[in-house]
Amino acid sequence: MAATQHSARIDAGTGTAVHEPRPAPDRIAWDGLPRHTPVSDLMTRQVVTVGPRTDYATLVAAVREHHHDLLPVVDAEGRVMGLVAASDLLAKLALTALPPRGIRFETRQVRALRRKGAGVVAGELMTAPAWTVTAGTSAADAARVALRHRIHHLPVTDDQHRLVGMVCLCDLLGAVRRDDAEIHSEVLYLAVATDSGTDRATLRVDCDHGRILLDARTARRSQAAALLDRVRAVEGVVDVADTLRWDIDDLL
């Protein structure tokens, strides 16, 4: 029997932690080609949350107790207002290492640290607005958002901007953890698609630890180029080596 995992949220009104069990995640389902793993397959559904009036001491306790370095701040309806990170909470500690006020000039970073360190509740400490994704967002698009904005966690929201989960960079890597057999099947599916122009008698696809060897003849060079782009976009493909040929060079 699978073990039961637990998580908790901080009640927005009382500031106390509420523990909620959740089942261990099943193996990611794969029932179509080409596959685009949605965030809903990878996210954590039960999340520790806080309200905007949650005090500093409760925030610190939540981070330490649940080993989360990021706490979504939600309103009474569960809509995401912002995020409080462990680094936001550490600003108050870092203030004690600064020299006393009185220096005529302070850097922008020091002034920002003083402002952040002065916060006493989540609404004052949080970074807002927060970058979010929806449960239907593909893992690839979520990864693009995370890398573009240099963030490690993304709140997952519904169409009313209410929090339904969290996904981190490690979670998103689940989209590329695939068996060679799965990757091979998807690449083969793309290679024999009606618009691929592939001569099936010449087709050979091998996959070893995500590395694809693709050999085939297509009717046109543009079809070979399009096939390569599609194969490189397959989740789990690490590299593609090809010996594609074509009958007509239509890219001259």
Side-chain angles (χ1 to χ4, degrees):
M1 180 179 296
T4 298
Q5 300 179 3
H6 290 80
S7 60
R9 60 181 174 82
I10 303 298
D11 186 89
T14 65
T16 58
V18 179
H19 293 265
E20 299 174 329
R22 67 184 178 91
D26 295 326
R27 189 174 183 273
I28 296 172
W30 177 59
D31 57 2
L33 293 171
R35 188 182 80 157
H36 301 287
T37 301
V39 166
S40 59
D41 284 358
L42 304 170
M43 69 185 188
T44 298
R45 295 180 181 276
Q46 300 294 339
V47 183
V48 177
T49 64
V50 296
R53 301 303 300 171
T54 303
D55 65 87
Y56 180 87
T58 303
L59 295 172
V60 172
V63 168
R64 287 179 54 80
E65 179 181 355
H66 304 294
H67 302 285
H68 295 302
D69 60 359
L70 197 72
L71 301 172
V73 183
V74 300
D75 64 15
E77 285 72 45
R79 292 186 294 262
V80 177
M81 302 174 64
L83 299 168
V84 173
S87 57
D88 297 323
L89 301 175
L90 282 173
K92 197 172 291 292
L93 176 62
L95 277 180
T96 64
L98 293 179
R101 289 183 182 273
I103 300 175
R104 293 186 61 185
F105 174 78
E106 288 186 332
T107 65
R108 181 182 302 174
Q109 289 80 4
V110 170
R111 293 197 300 271
L113 180 60
R114 290 195 187 278
R115 287 194 300 271
K116 182 70 72 173
V120 294
V121 295
E124 298 169 345
L125 292 160
M126 69 183 184
T127 299
W131 290 102
T132 64
V133 294
T134 68
T137 301
S138 71
D141 283 334
R144 181 175 57 84
V145 172
L147 294 175
R148 179 179 180 183
H149 300 289
R150 299 182 180 181
I151 49 182
H152 295 91
H153 298 77
L154 288 165
V156 185
T157 62
D158 62 14
D159 55 3
Q160 300 297 317
H161 205 58
R162 293 172 299 202
L163 186 72
V164 296
M166 287 283 289
V167 67
C168 68
L169 298 187
C170 290
D171 296 329
L172 293 175
L173 287 174
V176 296
R177 292 188 61 190
R178 304 180 68 187
D179 295 334
D180 280 344
E182 291 182 352
I183 299 171
H184 179 274
S185 294
E186 185 165 337
V187 172
L188 192 62
Y189 171 88
L190 295 173
V192 299
T194 304
D195 61 348
S196 68
T198 303
D199 179 353
R200 298 190 182 189
T202 67
L203 177 62
R204 175 189 173 192
V205 176
D206 292 324
C207 182
D208 182 20
H209 291 85
R211 295 182 175 183
I212 296 295
L213 174 62
L214 179 62
D215 180 46
R217 177 180 293 276
T218 60
R220 299 190 302 274
R221 183 178 180 182
S222 60
Q223 292 172 319
L227 176 58
L228 276 177
D229 287 341
R230 292 177 184 177
V231 171
R232 291 189 179 107
V234 170
E235 292 178 353
V237 167
V238 176
D239 187 33
V240 180
D242 76 280
T243 51
L244 296 178
R245 294 93 61 205
W246 45 86
D247 296 325
I248 299 172
D249 189 345
D250 57 344
L251 295 180
L252 291 176

